[in-house]
């Protein structure tokens, strides 16, 4: 057995592997990252495509020991990637998958193609994607989806010329790795310095962590209630200008899309929720009551997910007040949230899970509001609530707490 240490989806992993273990098997069987699929195991079909140090590679013909010290990114590691979010949307819209077996590899390869070559006028998507086989779709939808995203996405600089091709070169190739890794520090698409403005793509603004306080969670008669507060280092007037507008608020909430308000002020929209193995899309409507004098908003809504049969209703009330942080004028946002879940997703109404989840969702929302206030045209986090990363974050937080408690270090 050989001990290897590598970074997988942003997490440092140390493990024992046999010299003949392939990266795909290591990812799936030791790290349980089963989004990487295995088809041919001969490097032909592309189902196992992952990113290694910023370049795509076939994990079925890459030895795990060769990745010692490398940075590996699987399909699960792209949950927060704006370009991948656009590709996923386009794949859904263009019906670019049927059984979905080839899809993780198609997405990773397509993202790589767009990053490198979207500015090439004669880009031949069919040829470029010919290393990824699909038994179901006939490719038309896949090509259409990639064309759609290519039309709006920027290219990135070419990787260093001394880069390796194919499977990872092992620990001996550190300089090339370091150079490749340097280009991959941001998960957002980067454009060449001389290429000028890019159509339809605003620059990303670095996210700032905003601390969110979550009050006690109570569950009574099926309704879950809690309070949530955070402070934004922006004047109260600026924050209210954003938070009085439901469309702008929705744009900061992961997973939420709002239709333009109707003439009667009613709101309609859709909330995508993906928690571990469960995904749901709630369609529904609601009302809002705004008090500009008190800078207070109350939004009520209800919706259902036809696929899972889950129903949800809820009420969010938030009020702004002035505060000061390190002598900067700031705004405190106090929220009272109550909701009811029925159906398969009702298990997420349990108070212990809610507290973990809402803290993370609230932090993502607060961070997006902060980013939007700093740069109104900035690119925000992808509009997907949770996904694997959220659930894993929750679980990881719990495991960490348990370990700290066992060591007598928990608060
Ligand atoms: Fe790796 Fe087919 S499983 S290329
Ligand atoms: Fe089934 Fe591609 S969607 S193999």
């Amino acid at each position: 057995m050989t001990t290897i240490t590598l970074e997988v989806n942003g997490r440092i992993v140390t493990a024992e592997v046999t010299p003949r273990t392939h990266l795909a098997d290591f990812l799936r069987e030791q790290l349980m990252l089963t989004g990487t699929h295995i088809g041919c195991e001969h490097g032909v079909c592309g189902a196992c495509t992952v990113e290694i140090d910023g370049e795509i590679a076939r994990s079925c013909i890459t030895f795990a020991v060769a990745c010692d010290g490398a940075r590996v990114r699987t399909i699960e590691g792209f949950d927060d990637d704006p370009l991948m979010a656009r590709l996923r949307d386009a794949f859904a819209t263009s019906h670019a998958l049927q059984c979905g077996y080839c899809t993780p590899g198609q997405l990773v390869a397509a993202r790589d193609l767009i990053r490198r070559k979207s500015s090439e006028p004669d880009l031949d998507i069919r040829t470029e994607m010919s290393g990824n086989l699909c038994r179901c779709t006939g490719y038309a939808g896949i090509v259409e989806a990639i064309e759609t995203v290519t039309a709006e996405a920027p290219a990135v600089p070419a990787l260093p010329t001394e880069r390796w091709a194919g499977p990872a070169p092992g620990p001996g190739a550190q300089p090339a790795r370091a150079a490749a890794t340097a280009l991959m520090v941001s998960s957002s698409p980067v454009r060449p310095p001389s290429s000028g403005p890019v159509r339809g793509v605003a620059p990303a603004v670095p996210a700032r962590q905003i601390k969110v306080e979550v009050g006690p969670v109570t569950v009574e008669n099926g309704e879950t209630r809690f309070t949530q507060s955070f402070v934004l280092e922006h004047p109260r007037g600026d924050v209210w200008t954003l938070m009085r507008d439901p469309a702008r608020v929705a744009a900061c909430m992961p997973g939420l899309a709002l239709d333009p308000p109707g003439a009667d002020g009613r709101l309609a929209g859709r909330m995508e929720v993906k928690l571990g193995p469960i995904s749901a899309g709630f369609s529904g409507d609601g009302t809002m009551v705004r008090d500009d004098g008190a800078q207070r908003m109350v939004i009520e809504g209800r919706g259902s997910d036809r696929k899972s049969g889950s129903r949800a209703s809820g009420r969010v009330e938030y009020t702004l007040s002035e505060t000061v942080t390190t002598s900067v004028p700031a705004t405190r946002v106090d929220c009272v949230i109550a909701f009811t879940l029925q159906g398969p997703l009702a298990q997420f109404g349990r108070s212990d899970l809610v507290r973990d989840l809402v803290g993370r969702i609230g932090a993502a929302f607060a961070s997006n509001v902060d980013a939007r206030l700093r740069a109104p045209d900035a690119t925000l986090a992808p509009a997907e609530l949770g996904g694997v990363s959220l659930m894993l974050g929750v679980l990881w937080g719990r495991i960490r707490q348990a370990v700290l408690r066992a060591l007598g270090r928990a608060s």
Side-chain angles (χ1 to χ4, degrees), residues 117-173:
K117 295 195 169 178
S118 62
S119 60
E120 287 189 11
D122 299 318
L123 178 61
D124 181 349
I125 292 172
R126 280 184 183 271
T127 302
E128 293 286 346
M129 292 295 294
S130 60
N132 287 76
L133 307 184
C134 175
R135 291 174 297 181
C136 304
T137 64
Y139 300 102
I142 294 171
V143 172
E144 182 184 281
I146 297 171
E147 276 173 350
T148 302
V149 180
T150 301
E152 61 184 33
V156 298
L159 291 168
T161 51
E162 67 270 30
R163 75 188 191 274
W164 43 267

Side-chain angles (χ1 to χ4, degrees), residues 240-253 256-261 265-268 287-290 297-299 318 365:
W240 181 243
T241 300
L242 187 154
M243 293 193 68
R244 72 187 294 280
D245 180 347
R248 296 181 72 193
V249 169
C252 294
M253 175 58 79
L256 180 60
L258 221 53
D259 297 337
R266 288 193 72 78
L267 304 170
T287 56
M288 66 163 196
V289 178
R290 185 173 61 217
M297 176 88 100
V298 180
I299 300 174
Y318 51 82
F365 172 73

